Amino acid sequence: MSVHLFGIRHHGPGSARALAVALAELKPDLILVEGPPEADELVALAADEGLRPPVALLVYGTQEAEKSAAFWPFAVFSPEWQAIRYAVAQDVPLRFCDLPAAYKLGPRVAKPELDEEHFDPIAGLAEAAGYEDAERWWEDVIEHRSDGLSPFEAVAEAMTAVREQHPGIRYDLIREAYMRQVLRAALKQGHERIAVVCGAWHVPALAEPLPSAGADAALLKGLPKVAVSATWVPWTHGRLAHWTGYGAGVASPGWYHHLFHAADRPVHRWLVRVAGVLREQDIPVSSAHVIEAVRLAQTLAVLRGRPLPGLAELTEATRSVLCEGDETRLALVQSRVVVGELLGEVPPDTPAVPLARDVAAAQKRLRMPPQALARDLDLDLRKPLDLERSKLLHRLRLLAVPWGQPQERRAGKGTFWESWQLAWQPEFAVDLIVASAFGTTVAGAAAAKVAETAAEADLPGVTELLEACLLADLAEAQPAVLDALNRCAAMDTDVVHLMSAIPALARTLRYGDVRGTGVDALIPVLSGLVTRVQLGLPGALSGLDDEAAKALAHALDQVQEAVRLLTDRLELRDEWLATLLGLVDRPDVTGLVGGRMLRILRDEGRLSADEVQIRLARTLSVGVPSATAAAVVEGFIGGGGLVLVHDEALLGLIDRWLSELAADSFTDVLPLLRRTFATFAAPERRTIGQRVRNLGGATARSGSEQDDLAGLDLDRVAMVLPTLKLLLGSQSE
């Protein structure tokens, strides 16, 4: 009987190549690999060509109170993956020998003790070798080796020396005690050649002579367990770069993938690949560029005493030669090549919760394969396929699986279009497991979660849920949300809260027909909310501080937009504007809110331009404090600068008020007005400036306007006027 210990670095291409050679020479009859024993039954799936790395073993708690999870990721250049592939190809039994995840996910061993600091053995060895960078030392010694010699004896010797000074933290000692128990059991079963593939740090703890079995049992005694299940899930190179679940993250998975596959002339092949990526973006890169980049990388390696150019040298050569110093181009290379985003695949018969299977089936049915790289998707909701895609994305967002992120509309105009950005993350597998507590299908789980959330949400939250139900087509959840909405509306006395609930309801009612969903039940709810707002608004206007005034002014805009949106469907506009008209002249109304109401009434035609000017002139008179007047101006013009462009008398009124302010008052109000004017579009600000410059110079202005109009063909202008009246909604003849 013999035990062969292969100390590797997780995700190390040099370790992976050396291990593949060593296993072929040894021909073991049993392979033990550092990993969760709960996944032993999943090893056979590695023989399926549909299981393509990067993938990860996912072990998760199955009880509601134990919704924790852990991942063990593998890339094609991971030594453990090479061991698994050898085992299934040669029909050699393989077992995982690390501490079971049932213990790891338990409360007492999930993390190392807080007062214990984990020693980095690679950093210690690199320092002893005179290297400042541990990654560079490991690459030079292990990953870049091409002489075919096995590194495992040297690694074991080095780790033994290190562990004499740093025996390990308690968490490592517990794991190693379990590994030794698995090893002893394998020896008792009579296996002749046992290959143990584990992190190099653990090799000394598994070498002969082993501690007594009783000592190991004492370390493991009393550890709490949780119920768990295991499966394979797709992983990505990007997550390999950032994943630090067991200290195995690598910063350049694309580079390591290249090193594993390109044993012959890796430097040349790498730079050729970089050049190809740049050319795809129409960046001119010639073969001469590649040749010079190779020379520069090799020269840098010689100057630094490295056996082969590493990623640092190749990056500098890429920046200087291929990218010509452009950091934007280098960032593209970093994303596409150095990280080399890649999403793995798992076969259809991989164990999964029913909800995850339903998502996978929907992705296939709707032709939306998950991808690691972000991609844009424009949906036309008039098309059945796009409508179903939209429903799926909205339902997943309700389940806290944000596969799609809504974007500003790019394609087409109108309510029939949606724009999304899709990027699948491996962690969504865990999110789906957590969400499976609500149901076995996406629609059922989303509806159940919405109903549960609505029971505890406040009024704005409930209205957002109601809108989400529309977008996700969850008609079965609407009754529960409507009940919650009625309850919240009846109990909420905050007028601003009531007002903030109206816009979402209005959008739901207005755009329901776009998706073919019935929303008539919302009509009495929305009408009741608007009525309550009208009754409560008079009492909410007085005694407001600055923040409360801003919130109320914003809420007025929201309600006004909602009422305007539903003009052709509900008779709310007249009563709403009548309420504002009855309040706008109250002396206790805060300036910001009064100015906002005045602007709404002017835009809706309830106050003429002369009536507005009279009120503003009264406000901007000498007897009114400058701060109050400035607040009214901010509220009035905060809705957009076009009113100043088209109403010269109003512009002159505000200009005279500013011109007549005392120096100290002008200094006080200037920041407020500057903030307001900063919200205007650049053309608006430019036009207002031109208008102000011409104020007081009527002759010059008239001449300028006459010059502008002199070249117009009045007959052709007359042909445009009917269409212009239609567009502007003018009723005059």
Side-chain angles (χ1 to χ4, degrees):
M1 294 184 184
S2 59
V3 176
H4 299 264
L5 303 175
F6 298 103
I8 53 90
R9 187 185 187 190
H10 305 292
H11 312 314
S15 296
R17 283 198 307 268
L19 179 64
V21 173
L23 291 177
E25 293 176 351
L26 177 63
K27 295 182 174 54
D29 59 358
L30 176 66
I31 302 176
L32 301 180
V33 174
E34 180 182 334
E38 292 89 348
D40 283 350
E41 300 300 323
L42 299 173
V43 171
L45 279 173
D48 192 321
E49 293 300 323
L51 187 66
R52 300 176 182 176
V55 291
L57 286 170
L58 165 63
V59 183
Y60 57 93
T62 57
Q63 301 300 319
E64 185 60 31
E66 301 165 350
K67 289 296 185 183
S68 53
F71 295 97
W72 282 260
F74 304 113
V76 69
F77 51 82
S78 301
E80 300 94 331
W81 178 256
Q82 291 301 314
I84 292 172
R85 289 294 300 170
Y86 176 88
V88 296
Q90 302 299 324
D91 197 22
V92 176
L94 182 145
R95 302 173 193 164
F96 290 107
C97 62
D98 200 356
L99 185 71
Y103 294 124
K104 283 190 172 186
L105 299 180
R108 289 198 295 181
V109 294
K111 294 181 180 179
E113 299 293 335
L114 294 180
D115 59 348
E116 293 184 304
E117 183 177 354
H118 193 286
F119 175 74
D120 185 351
I122 295 178
L125 290 171
E127 183 179 358
Y131 280 71
E132 295 182 358
D133 188 340
E135 290 289 329
R136 177 170 295 187
W137 174 81
W138 183 264
E139 285 191 355
D140 287 351
V141 174
I142 301 296
E143 307 305 344
H144 291 171
R145 291 175 65 102
S146 58
D147 53 16
L149 298 178
S150 173
F152 298 114
E153 290 185 8
V155 169
E157 182 179 352
M159 289 300 170
T160 300
V162 171
R163 291 203 63 160
E164 289 176 355
Q165 302 297 323
H166 303 276
I169 61 175
R170 181 175 181 273
Y171 179 62
D172 283 341
L173 299 180
I174 291 174
R175 293 174 60 197
E176 291 163 353
Y178 188 86
M179 292 180 188
R180 288 191 292 266
Q181 283 194 340
V182 176
L183 181 56
R184 292 189 189 97
L187 290 170
K188 283 184 179 180
Q189 292 171 356
H191 292 285
E192 295 292 334
R193 296 177 307 283
I194 302 175
V196 181
V197 180
C198 62
W201 175 252
H202 303 298
V203 169
L206 303 180
E208 294 286 353
L210 299 179
S212 68
D216 287 342
L219 275 175
L220 298 168
K221 184 177 180 180
L223 292 180
K225 296 177 63 174
V226 297
V228 298
S229 290
T231 187
W232 288 104
V233 295
W235 202 251
T236 69
H237 272 180
R239 283 298 181 269
L240 284 174
H242 301 295
W243 187 256
T244 56
Y246 53 97
V250 293
S252 51
W255 167 241
Y256 276 12
H257 184 91
H258 173 78
L259 281 180
F260 181 76
H261 287 286
D264 175 43
R265 303 171 72 87
V267 173
H268 303 73
R269 295 178 186 275
W270 175 262
L271 291 171
V272 167
R273 183 180 173 196
V274 170
V277 169
L278 293 173
R279 287 172 182 167
E280 289 175 358
Q281 302 300 316
D282 295 327
I283 299 172
V285 179
S286 67
S287 56
H289 284 90
V290 176
I291 293 171
E292 289 304 315
V294 170
R295 289 174 177 171
L296 177 56
Q298 291 174 337
T299 302
L300 290 173
V302 171
L303 291 174
R304 295 168 180 174
R306 304 196 69 181
L308 187 74
L311 184 59
E313 289 73 28
L314 290 169
T315 299
E316 292 179 35
T318 299
R319 176 189 288 111
S320 301
V321 181
L322 302 184
C323 296
E324 299 179 344
D326 190 330
E327 293 296 329
T328 302
R329 297 181 184 181
L330 187 65
L332 173 68
V333 173
Q334 177 72 23
S335 172
R336 298 284 184 89
V337 188
V338 177
V339 174
E341 194 59 278
L342 180 67
L343 178 65
E345 298 179 15
V346 299
D349 56 347
T350 302
V353 295
L355 179 60
R357 291 189 179 280
D358 188 55
V359 171
Q363 290 171 333
K364 183 176 181 180
R365 183 180 72 254
L366 300 177
R367 300 196 292 277
M368 300 172 66
Q371 298 177 2
L373 287 174
R375 66 185 182 97
D376 295 330
L377 179 67
D378 294 317
L379 301 178
D380 182 349
L381 302 182
R382 292 167 295 186
K383 298 178 180 179
L385 178 63
D386 282 0
L387 181 59
E388 290 302 313
R389 288 172 170 174
S390 173
K391 292 176 183 178
L392 175 64
L393 294 173
H394 282 292
R395 289 169 180 175
L396 288 175
R397 287 179 62 80
L398 286 171
L399 292 173
V401 184
W403 177 27
Q405 295 289 348
Q407 305 293 305
E408 289 294 327
R409 189 176 301 133
R410 296 180 297 272
K413 297 180 179 180
T415 59
F416 290 100
W417 289 93
E418 280 185 353
S419 293
W420 296 82
Q421 186 176 79
L422 307 185
W424 187 262
Q425 304 294 339
E427 292 85 347
F428 293 162
V430 178
D431 297 333
L432 289 174
I433 291 169
V434 174
S436 65
F438 294 99
T440 59
T441 65
V442 178
K449 185 173 182 181
V450 166
E452 181 179 290
T453 305
E456 300 178 358
D458 59 8
L459 182 59
V462 172
T463 55
E464 290 177 2
L465 281 175
L466 190 57
E467 185 177 19
C469 283
L470 165 72
L471 298 174
D473 191 20
L474 300 175
E476 61 271 29
Q478 283 191 10
V481 180
L482 286 173
D483 289 344
L485 179 62
N486 289 326
R487 171 181 51 80
C488 291
M491 298 177 61
D492 201 327
T493 58
D494 188 326
V495 172
V496 175
H497 260 191
L498 294 173
M499 296 171 78
S500 63
I502 290 174
L505 289 175
R507 289 192 300 268
T508 303
L509 188 58
R510 174 66 177 83
Y511 299 128
D513 292 339
V514 175
R515 295 173 174 270
T517 55
V519 290
D520 290 342
L522 300 184
I523 293 177
V525 176
L526 181 59
S527 300
L529 271 180
V530 174
T531 300
R532 291 195 60 190
V533 167
Q534 292 172 186
L535 293 175
L537 191 57
L541 292 177
S542 59
L544 299 176
D545 59 19
D546 290 344
E547 291 301 320
K550 290 178 182 178
L552 183 55
H554 178 65
L556 285 170
D557 281 338
Q558 288 184 309
V559 175
Q560 169 59 27
E561 182 61 29
V563 169
R564 179 185 297 172
L565 192 67
L566 298 174
T567 298
D568 59 345
R569 187 153 189 178
L570 295 178
E571 297 180 358
L572 300 173
R573 179 173 175 270
D574 290 342
E575 290 185 5
W576 167 246
L577 294 177
T579 299
L580 298 185
L581 188 60
L583 298 173
V584 70
D585 293 325
R586 271 181 36 175
D588 60 340
V589 174
T590 305
L592 182 67
V593 175
R596 197 78 223 113
M597 289 194 293
L598 193 61
R599 176 62 181 272
I600 292 173
L601 291 169
R602 181 194 184 279
D603 289 348
E604 291 295 318
R606 288 306 175 97
L607 289 177
S608 66
D610 291 339
E611 290 174 314
V612 170
Q613 289 177 24
I614 291 172
R615 286 171 169 79
L616 285 176
R618 188 166 56 238
T619 300
L620 302 181
S621 62
V622 177
V624 178
S626 58
T628 302
V632 173
V633 172
E634 180 187 14
F636 184 79
I637 67 176
L642 287 178
V643 66
L644 299 180
V645 173
H646 297 296
D647 193 331
E648 186 171 307
L650 179 60
L651 180 61
L653 178 65
I654 295 176
D655 180 64
R656 287 193 299 275
W657 167 67
L658 281 172
S659 301
E660 295 170 0
L661 284 175
D664 55 345
S665 298
F666 181 82
T667 303
D668 291 338
V669 304
L670 181 60
L672 185 149
L673 293 177
R674 179 179 293 171
R675 181 182 65 198
T676 302
F677 275 81
T679 62
F680 298 168
E684 291 180 357
R685 295 199 301 269
R686 183 168 56 251
T687 305
I688 291 172
Q690 294 171 349
R691 296 283 187 183
V692 170
R693 184 179 59 207
N694 292 328
L695 286 175
T699 302
R701 176 177 52 80
S702 299
S704 175
E705 289 181 356
Q706 288 175 1
D707 292 341
D708 292 339
L709 298 176
L712 292 179
D713 184 332
L714 298 183
D715 291 334
R716 296 183 67 187
V717 170
M719 296 172 62
V720 175
L721 291 179
T723 302
L724 185 61
K725 288 181 180 181
L726 179 63
L727 292 174
L728 296 177
S730 175
Q731 301 300 321
S732 60
E733 295 297 332

